[in-house]
C-alpha cells in the first residue's frame, strides 16, 4: 500500500477557489483502479493550508493515475508544498 500525504499552502483568499478546482480530480481519483481513498480538504486551523491524503493499493496504481500534477492555474496559486509518498508494509485497524 502507498500513502501520499502532506499539505500545500495558498493565499487564504484563494483557498476556496483552489478547492473548487480540485473537485474533478478527487472524483477521477476515487474512480481510478487501485485508489482506496483520496481527499483534498481545507485545514481546520490554518486558513491558507490545504491537506492532501491519498491511499493506494500499490505504487503502480499511483503511477497509473498520475498523468500531470496541478494545472497551471492551480500551480500558480500554490505558495508552498510538502507532500510525500509512504510505502506501507503493515496495517492495523484501530476499530
Amino acid at each position: 500500500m502507498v500513502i501520499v500525504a502532506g499539505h500545500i499552502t495558498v493565499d487564504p483568499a484563494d483557498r476556496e477557489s483552489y478547492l473548487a478546482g480540485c473537485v474533478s480530480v478527487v472524483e477521477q481519483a476515487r474512480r481510478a483502479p487501485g485508489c482506496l481513498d483520496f481527499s483534498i480538504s481545507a485545514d481546520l486551523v490554518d486558513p491558507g493550508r490545504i491537506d492532501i491524503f491519498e491511499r493506494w493499493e500499490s505504487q503502480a496504481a499511483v503511477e497509473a493515475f498520475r498523468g500531470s500534477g496541478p494545472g497551471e492555474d492551480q500551480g500558480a496559486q500554490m505558495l508552498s508544498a510538502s507532500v510525500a509518498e509512504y510505502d506501507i508494509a503493515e496495517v492495523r485497524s484501530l476499530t
Side-chain angles (χ1 to χ4, degrees):
M1 182 183 305
V2 175
I3 290 179
V4 178
H7 68 276
I8 62 170
T9 56
V10 298
D11 184 304
D14 294 336
R15 186 168 75 174
E16 290 308 313
S17 66
Y18 186 95
L19 289 169
C22 293
V23 171
S24 65
V25 172
V26 173
E27 291 171 340
Q28 291 170 15
R30 289 180 180 176
R31 288 191 303 265
C35 181
L36 302 172
D37 195 6
F38 196 101
S39 177
I40 301 173
S41 58
D43 187 82
L44 295 177
V45 178
D46 184 337
R49 180 174 162 144
I50 296 171
D51 297 319
I52 309 292
F53 180 82
E54 306 174 21
R55 193 164 53 97
W56 297 87
E57 288 179 352
S58 66
Q59 185 64 41
V62 173
E63 292 173 8
F65 177 72
R66 298 268 184 261
S68 58
E72 286 183 36
D73 290 342
Q74 285 185 314
Q77 288 180 301
M78 291 171 45
L79 301 176
S80 67
S82 177
V83 181
E85 288 185 358
Y86 302 87
D87 295 316
I88 307 301
E90 184 178 342
V91 176
R92 290 175 303 282
S93 177
L94 297 177
T95 58

